[in-house]
């Protein structure tokens, strides 16, 4: 099982931690999300902050700008 944002593709090679689930045995997994809040970074140039806001750089294949979407588009454009 892989957990990811609903608008993102699961990229298995990015995840370094896997948990094996044994059939017939009880299993417990804790998922601890990380929330990153960076207030005031919108005033920096995108090159300096190393990310874009959705209104700064529209993507061709995705509706919403995320780091993964940007990377997938760069890969698609490169190939």
């Amino acid at each position: 099982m892989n957990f990811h944002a609903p608008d993102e593709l699961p990229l298995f090679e990015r995840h370094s931690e896997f948990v094996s689930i044994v059939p017939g045995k009880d299993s417990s997994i804790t998922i601890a999300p990380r929330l990153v809040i960076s207030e005031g970074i919108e005033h920096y140039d995108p090159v300096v902050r190393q990310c874009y806001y959705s209104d700064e750089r529209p993507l061709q294949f995705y509706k919403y700008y995320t780091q993964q979407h940007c990377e997938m588009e760069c890969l698609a454009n490169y190939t």
Side-chain angles (χ1 to χ4, degrees), residues 4 12 18 28 37-38 42 55 59-60 68:
H4 55 88
F12 298 102
F18 289 93
S28 177
I37 299 174
S38 300
E42 65 275 359
D55 62 340
L59 298 175
Q60 182 178 357
Q68 182 184 5

Side-chain angles (χ1 to χ4, degrees), residues 31-35:
I31 300 172
R34 288 184 298 150
L35 177 63

Side-chain angles (χ1 to χ4, degrees), residues 11-79:
L11 296 177
F12 298 102
E13 68 274 3
R14 284 192 170 184
H15 305 291
S16 59
E17 296 182 31
F18 289 93
V19 177
S20 296
I21 305 294
V22 180
K25 299 280 186 176
D26 289 338
S27 300
S28 177
I29 300 172
T30 301
I31 300 172
R34 288 184 298 150
L35 177 63
V36 177
I37 299 174
S38 300
E39 295 178 10
I41 66 167
E42 65 275 359
H43 302 295
Y44 290 95
D45 186 79
V47 174
V48 173
R49 67 177 184 247
Q50 299 180 359
C51 66
Y52 293 91
Y53 286 99
S54 294
D55 62 340
E56 292 177 325
R57 184 172 187 217
L59 298 175
Q60 182 178 357
F61 303 118
Y62 295 97
K63 186 175 181 178
Y64 301 105
Y65 183 93
T66 67
Q67 180 176 348
Q68 182 184 5
H69 289 169
C70 180
E71 290 172 2
M72 295 295 288
E73 278 216 0
C74 288
L75 180 62
N77 292 335
Y78 179 73
T79 56

